[in-house]
Short mmCIF file of all heavy atoms in Angstrom, two decimals:
data_model
loop_
_atom_site.label_atom_id
_atom_site.label_comp_id
_atom_site.label_asym_id
_atom_site.label_seq_id
_atom_site.Cartn_x
_atom_site.Cartn_y
_atom_site.Cartn_z
N LEU T 24 74.85 223.53 157.42
CA LEU T 24 75.50 222.43 158.13
C LEU T 24 75.48 221.16 157.28
O LEU T 24 76.49 220.45 157.17
CB LEU T 24 74.81 222.18 159.47
CG LEU T 24 75.37 221.08 160.35
CD1 LEU T 24 76.77 221.44 160.83
CD2 LEU T 24 74.44 220.83 161.54
N ALA T 25 74.34 220.85 156.68
CA ALA T 25 74.24 219.67 155.83
C ALA T 25 75.20 219.77 154.64
O ALA T 25 75.82 218.76 154.24
CB ALA T 25 72.80 219.50 155.34
N ALA T 26 75.34 220.98 154.10
CA ALA T 26 76.28 221.18 152.99
C ALA T 26 77.72 220.97 153.46
O ALA T 26 78.55 220.40 152.73
CB ALA T 26 76.09 222.58 152.40
N ASN T 27 78.04 221.43 154.67
CA ASN T 27 79.38 221.23 155.22
C ASN T 27 79.70 219.75 155.38
O ASN T 27 80.80 219.30 155.05
CB ASN T 27 79.51 221.91 156.58
CG ASN T 27 79.48 223.42 156.52
OD1 ASN T 27 79.11 224.08 157.49
ND2 ASN T 27 79.85 224.01 155.38
N ILE T 28 78.73 218.99 155.88
CA ILE T 28 78.94 217.56 156.06
C ILE T 28 79.16 216.87 154.71
O ILE T 28 80.06 216.04 154.56
CB ILE T 28 77.74 216.93 156.80
CG1 ILE T 28 77.67 217.47 158.23
CG2 ILE T 28 77.84 215.41 156.82
CD1 ILE T 28 76.41 217.07 158.97
N ALA T 29 78.35 217.24 153.73
CA ALA T 29 78.51 216.68 152.39
C ALA T 29 79.88 217.00 151.80
O ALA T 29 80.52 216.15 151.16
CB ALA T 29 77.40 217.19 151.47
N GLU T 30 80.35 218.23 152.04
CA GLU T 30 81.67 218.63 151.55
C GLU T 30 82.78 217.81 152.21
O GLU T 30 83.72 217.36 151.55
CB GLU T 30 81.89 220.11 151.85
CG GLU T 30 83.26 220.64 151.46
CD GLU T 30 83.48 222.07 151.90
OE1 GLU T 30 82.49 222.78 152.18
OE2 GLU T 30 84.64 222.50 151.98
N LEU T 31 82.67 217.62 153.53
CA LEU T 31 83.68 216.84 154.25
C LEU T 31 83.72 215.40 153.75
O LEU T 31 84.79 214.81 153.60
CB LEU T 31 83.39 216.87 155.75
CG LEU T 31 83.66 218.19 156.46
CD1 LEU T 31 83.13 218.13 157.89
CD2 LEU T 31 85.15 218.51 156.48
N ARG T 32 82.57 214.83 153.50
CA ARG T 32 82.51 213.44 153.03
C ARG T 32 83.07 213.32 151.60
O ARG T 32 83.78 212.36 151.29
CB ARG T 32 81.08 212.93 153.09
CG ARG T 32 80.55 212.75 154.51
CD ARG T 32 79.09 212.35 154.52
NE ARG T 32 78.87 211.05 153.93
CZ ARG T 32 78.91 209.89 154.60
NH1 ARG T 32 79.15 209.89 155.90
NH2 ARG T 32 78.71 208.74 153.98
N ALA T 33 82.77 214.30 150.75
CA ALA T 33 83.18 214.23 149.35
C ALA T 33 84.65 214.59 149.15
O ALA T 33 85.37 213.92 148.40
CB ALA T 33 82.30 215.15 148.51
N ASP T 34 85.09 215.65 149.84
CA ASP T 34 86.43 216.19 149.58
C ASP T 34 87.50 215.70 150.55
O ASP T 34 88.69 215.74 150.23
CB ASP T 34 86.40 217.72 149.61
CG ASP T 34 85.50 218.31 148.53
OD1 ASP T 34 85.16 217.56 147.58
OD2 ASP T 34 85.13 219.49 148.63
N HIS T 35 87.08 215.28 151.75
CA HIS T 35 88.07 214.90 152.77
C HIS T 35 87.88 213.48 153.29
O HIS T 35 88.52 213.09 154.26
CB HIS T 35 87.99 215.89 153.94
CG HIS T 35 88.28 217.32 153.55
ND1 HIS T 35 89.57 217.81 153.41
CD2 HIS T 35 87.45 218.35 153.23
CE1 HIS T 35 89.51 219.08 153.04
NE2 HIS T 35 88.25 219.43 152.92
N HIS T 36 86.98 212.74 152.66
CA HIS T 36 86.75 211.33 153.01
C HIS T 36 86.36 211.16 154.47
O HIS T 36 86.71 210.15 155.10
CB HIS T 36 87.98 210.49 152.68
CG HIS T 36 88.48 210.68 151.27
ND1 HIS T 36 87.77 210.24 150.18
CD2 HIS T 36 89.59 211.30 150.79
CE1 HIS T 36 88.43 210.54 149.07
NE2 HIS T 36 89.53 211.19 149.41
N ALA T 37 85.68 212.14 155.02
CA ALA T 37 85.20 212.05 156.40
C ALA T 37 84.05 211.04 156.47
O ALA T 37 83.32 210.84 155.51
CB ALA T 37 84.74 213.41 156.91
N LYS T 38 83.90 210.44 157.64
CA LYS T 38 82.80 209.48 157.87
C LYS T 38 81.64 210.15 158.60
O LYS T 38 80.68 209.47 158.98
CB LYS T 38 83.32 208.29 158.66
CG LYS T 38 84.39 207.50 157.91
CD LYS T 38 84.86 206.31 158.72
CE LYS T 38 85.92 205.52 157.95
NZ LYS T 38 86.42 204.36 158.74
N THR T 39 81.72 211.44 158.77
CA THR T 39 80.70 212.19 159.50
C THR T 39 79.32 211.97 158.89
O THR T 39 79.13 212.08 157.69
CB THR T 39 81.03 213.70 159.46
OG1 THR T 39 82.40 213.88 159.81
CG2 THR T 39 80.16 214.46 160.43
N THR T 40 78.34 211.70 159.76
CA THR T 40 76.99 211.40 159.31
C THR T 40 75.99 212.26 160.11
O THR T 40 76.15 212.41 161.31
CB THR T 40 76.65 209.91 159.53
OG1 THR T 40 77.59 209.11 158.79
CG2 THR T 40 75.24 209.59 159.07
N LEU T 41 75.00 212.80 159.42
CA LEU T 41 73.94 213.54 160.10
C LEU T 41 73.06 212.52 160.83
O LEU T 41 72.38 211.70 160.22
CB LEU T 41 73.12 214.34 159.09
CG LEU T 41 72.00 215.22 159.67
CD1 LEU T 41 72.55 216.26 160.63
CD2 LEU T 41 71.23 215.91 158.54
N LEU T 42 73.09 212.59 162.15
CA LEU T 42 72.36 211.63 162.98
C LEU T 42 70.87 211.95 163.03
O LEU T 42 70.02 211.05 162.99
CB LEU T 42 72.93 211.64 164.39
CG LEU T 42 72.25 210.75 165.44
CD1 LEU T 42 72.37 209.29 165.05
CD2 LEU T 42 72.88 211.00 166.82
N GLY T 43 70.54 213.24 163.15
CA GLY T 43 69.14 213.61 163.24
C GLY T 43 68.96 215.10 163.40
O GLY T 43 69.92 215.85 163.63
N ILE T 44 67.72 215.53 163.26
CA ILE T 44 67.33 216.93 163.37
C ILE T 44 66.27 217.04 164.45
O ILE T 44 65.28 216.30 164.42
CB ILE T 44 66.79 217.45 162.02
CG1 ILE T 44 67.88 217.35 160.94
CG2 ILE T 44 66.27 218.87 162.14
CD1 ILE T 44 67.33 217.34 159.53
N VAL T 45 66.50 217.92 165.41
CA VAL T 45 65.58 218.04 166.55
C VAL T 45 64.86 219.39 166.50
O VAL T 45 65.43 220.41 166.88
CB VAL T 45 66.34 217.92 167.88
CG1 VAL T 45 65.36 217.87 169.05
CG2 VAL T 45 67.24 216.69 167.90
N PRO T 46 63.63 219.43 166.02
CA PRO T 46 62.88 220.69 166.01
C PRO T 46 62.60 221.15 167.45
O PRO T 46 62.10 220.38 168.28
CB PRO T 46 61.57 220.32 165.28
CG PRO T 46 61.88 219.06 164.53
CD PRO T 46 62.86 218.34 165.39
N GLN T 47 62.94 222.40 167.72
CA GLN T 47 62.81 222.95 169.07
C GLN T 47 61.77 224.07 169.11
O GLN T 47 61.48 224.70 168.10
CB GLN T 47 64.17 223.51 169.54
CG GLN T 47 65.29 222.48 169.59
CD GLN T 47 65.29 221.69 170.87
OE1 GLN T 47 64.48 221.92 171.77
NE2 GLN T 47 66.22 220.76 170.99
N MET T 48 61.24 224.31 170.30
CA MET T 48 60.36 225.46 170.55
C MET T 48 59.15 225.44 169.61
O MET T 48 58.74 226.47 169.07
CB MET T 48 61.14 226.77 170.45
CG MET T 48 62.23 226.91 171.50
SD MET T 48 63.38 228.27 171.24
CE MET T 48 64.62 227.49 170.19
N PHE T 49 58.62 224.25 169.42
CA PHE T 49 57.51 224.07 168.48
C PHE T 49 56.20 224.55 169.10
O PHE T 49 55.84 224.20 170.22
CB PHE T 49 57.39 222.59 168.11
CG PHE T 49 56.23 222.26 167.23
CD1 PHE T 49 56.11 222.84 165.97
CD2 PHE T 49 55.25 221.36 167.65
CE1 PHE T 49 55.04 222.53 165.14
CE2 PHE T 49 54.19 221.04 166.84
CZ PHE T 49 54.07 221.63 165.57
N GLU T 50 55.48 225.38 168.35
CA GLU T 50 54.16 225.86 168.76
C GLU T 50 53.11 225.24 167.82
O GLU T 50 53.08 225.53 166.63
CB GLU T 50 54.10 227.38 168.71
CG GLU T 50 55.06 228.06 169.67
CD GLU T 50 54.98 229.57 169.60
OE1 GLU T 50 54.04 230.09 168.94
OE2 GLU T 50 55.85 230.24 170.19
N THR T 51 52.28 224.40 168.38
CA THR T 51 51.34 223.64 167.56
C THR T 51 50.36 224.54 166.80
O THR T 51 49.88 224.16 165.73
CB THR T 51 50.54 222.65 168.43
OG1 THR T 51 49.89 223.38 169.48
CG2 THR T 51 51.48 221.61 169.04
N ARG T 52 50.07 225.71 167.33
CA ARG T 52 49.12 226.61 166.69
C ARG T 52 49.75 227.53 165.65
O ARG T 52 49.04 228.30 165.00
CB ARG T 52 48.40 227.45 167.75
CG ARG T 52 47.56 226.62 168.73
CD ARG T 52 46.84 227.52 169.72
NE ARG T 52 46.01 226.75 170.66
CZ ARG T 52 45.28 227.28 171.63
NH1 ARG T 52 45.27 228.61 171.78
NH2 ARG T 52 44.57 226.51 172.43
N SER T 53 51.05 227.45 165.52
CA SER T 53 51.74 228.34 164.57
C SER T 53 51.73 227.75 163.17
O SER T 53 52.26 226.66 162.93
CB SER T 53 53.19 228.55 165.03
OG SER T 53 53.94 229.19 164.02
N ASN T 54 51.12 228.47 162.25
CA ASN T 54 51.11 228.03 160.85
C ASN T 54 52.53 227.94 160.30
O ASN T 54 52.86 227.01 159.53
CB ASN T 54 50.27 228.97 160.00
CG ASN T 54 48.79 228.86 160.31
OD1 ASN T 54 48.30 227.81 160.73
ND2 ASN T 54 48.05 229.94 160.09
N GLU T 55 53.37 228.92 160.67
CA GLU T 55 54.76 228.92 160.19
C GLU T 55 55.50 227.68 160.68
O GLU T 55 56.19 227.01 159.91
CB GLU T 55 55.48 230.18 160.66
CG GLU T 55 56.93 230.24 160.20
CD GLU T 55 57.69 231.42 160.79
OE1 GLU T 55 57.21 231.99 161.80
OE2 GLU T 55 58.77 231.74 160.27
N HIS T 56 55.35 227.37 161.97
CA HIS T 56 56.03 226.21 162.52
C HIS T 56 55.57 224.93 161.85
O HIS T 56 56.39 224.05 161.50
CB HIS T 56 55.81 226.13 164.03
CG HIS T 56 56.62 227.10 164.81
ND1 HIS T 56 56.79 227.03 166.17
CD2 HIS T 56 57.32 228.20 164.41
CE1 HIS T 56 57.56 228.02 166.58
NE2 HIS T 56 57.88 228.75 165.53
N ASN T 57 54.28 224.78 161.65
CA ASN T 57 53.77 223.57 161.01
C ASN T 57 54.22 223.48 159.56
O ASN T 57 54.52 222.38 159.07
CB ASN T 57 52.24 223.55 161.11
CG ASN T 57 51.75 223.11 162.47
OD1 ASN T 57 51.83 221.95 162.82
ND2 ASN T 57 51.24 224.06 163.26
N ARG T 58 54.29 224.61 158.88
CA ARG T 58 54.75 224.61 157.49
C ARG T 58 56.22 224.20 157.41
O ARG T 58 56.60 223.37 156.56
CB ARG T 58 54.55 226.01 156.89
CG ARG T 58 54.92 226.07 155.40
CD ARG T 58 54.52 227.40 154.80
NE ARG T 58 55.28 228.52 155.36
CZ ARG T 58 54.79 229.42 156.23
NH1 ARG T 58 53.52 229.34 156.61
NH2 ARG T 58 55.53 230.40 156.68
N HIS T 59 57.05 224.77 158.31
CA HIS T 59 58.47 224.42 158.30
C HIS T 59 58.71 222.97 158.74
O HIS T 59 59.61 222.31 158.22
CB HIS T 59 59.25 225.38 159.20
CG HIS T 59 59.41 226.75 158.64
ND1 HIS T 59 59.69 226.98 157.32
CD2 HIS T 59 59.33 227.97 159.22
CE1 HIS T 59 59.78 228.29 157.10
NE2 HIS T 59 59.56 228.91 158.25
N LEU T 60 57.90 222.49 159.68
CA LEU T 60 58.04 221.10 160.11
C LEU T 60 57.72 220.15 158.95
O LEU T 60 58.42 219.13 158.74
CB LEU T 60 57.11 220.83 161.30
CG LEU T 60 57.22 219.44 161.94
CD1 LEU T 60 58.61 219.22 162.50
CD2 LEU T 60 56.17 219.30 163.04
N LYS T 61 56.71 220.47 158.19
CA LYS T 61 56.36 219.66 157.02
C LYS T 61 57.49 219.68 155.99
O LYS T 61 57.83 218.65 155.40
CB LYS T 61 55.06 220.18 156.39
CG LYS T 61 54.61 219.38 155.18
CD LYS T 61 53.32 219.96 154.59
CE LYS T 61 52.88 219.17 153.35
NZ LYS T 61 51.65 219.75 152.75
N LEU T 62 58.09 220.87 155.80
CA LEU T 62 59.20 221.00 154.85
C LEU T 62 60.40 220.16 155.31
O LEU T 62 61.04 219.49 154.48
CB LEU T 62 59.61 222.47 154.73
CG LEU T 62 60.80 222.78 153.82
CD1 LEU T 62 60.50 222.35 152.39
CD2 LEU T 62 61.14 224.26 153.87
N LEU T 63 60.67 220.17 156.60
CA LEU T 63 61.76 219.36 157.13
C LEU T 63 61.52 217.88 156.85
O LEU T 63 62.41 217.15 156.41
CB LEU T 63 61.92 219.58 158.63
CG LEU T 63 62.66 220.82 159.11
CD1 LEU T 63 62.66 220.87 160.64
CD2 LEU T 63 64.10 220.83 158.59
N ALA T 64 60.29 217.44 157.12
CA ALA T 64 59.95 216.03 156.93
C ALA T 64 60.08 215.64 155.45
O ALA T 64 60.55 214.54 155.13
CB ALA T 64 58.55 215.76 157.43
N GLU T 65 59.68 216.54 154.56
CA GLU T 65 59.76 216.25 153.14
C GLU T 65 61.21 216.20 152.66
O GLU T 65 61.55 215.44 151.75
CB GLU T 65 59.00 217.31 152.35
CG GLU T 65 57.48 217.24 152.53
CD GLU T 65 56.77 218.42 151.88
OE1 GLU T 65 57.47 219.38 151.46
OE2 GLU T 65 55.53 218.38 151.77
N THR T 66 62.07 217.01 153.28
CA THR T 66 63.46 217.11 152.84
C THR T 66 64.34 216.04 153.47
O THR T 66 65.18 215.43 152.79
CB THR T 66 64.02 218.50 153.18
OG1 THR T 66 63.19 219.51 152.62
CG2 THR T 66 65.45 218.65 152.64
N TYR T 67 64.15 215.81 154.78
CA TYR T 67 65.08 214.94 155.51
C TYR T 67 64.46 213.63 156.00
O TYR T 67 65.16 212.78 156.56
CB TYR T 67 65.67 215.70 156.70
CG TYR T 67 66.50 216.89 156.29
CD1 TYR T 67 65.96 218.18 156.31
CD2 TYR T 67 67.81 216.74 155.84
CE1 TYR T 67 66.71 219.28 155.93
CE2 TYR T 67 68.56 217.83 155.46
CZ TYR T 67 68.01 219.10 155.49
OH TYR T 67 68.76 220.19 155.11
N GLY T 68 63.15 213.47 155.81
CA GLY T 68 62.50 212.20 156.12
C GLY T 68 62.69 211.74 157.55
O GLY T 68 62.47 212.48 158.50
#
């Protein structure tokens, strides 16, 4: 999705902007969930 938005902005002069990312179904005890949440924060701030 992020790549699609970047393509639209670069190739079609769209003003579309990624507003935010909402992590869903988060399990605090899940190592996988915590690892992916950290990756999201590092990538998208």
Side-chain angles (χ1 to χ4, degrees):
L24 181 66
N27 292 155
I28 293 171
E30 177 186 342
L31 288 171
R32 291 175 65 89
D34 297 344
H35 300 278
H36 308 291
K38 296 181 180 179
T39 312
T40 301
L41 183 60
L42 177 63
I44 299 159
V45 187
Q47 300 277 357
M48 296 169 272
F49 176 60
E50 297 180 9
T51 56
R52 297 182 180 180
S53 169
N54 290 332
E55 180 186 17
H56 284 194
N57 282 287
R58 184 172 66 253
H59 287 319
L60 185 61
K61 181 180 179 182
L62 177 62
L63 280 178
E65 290 172 350
T66 305
Y67 297 99

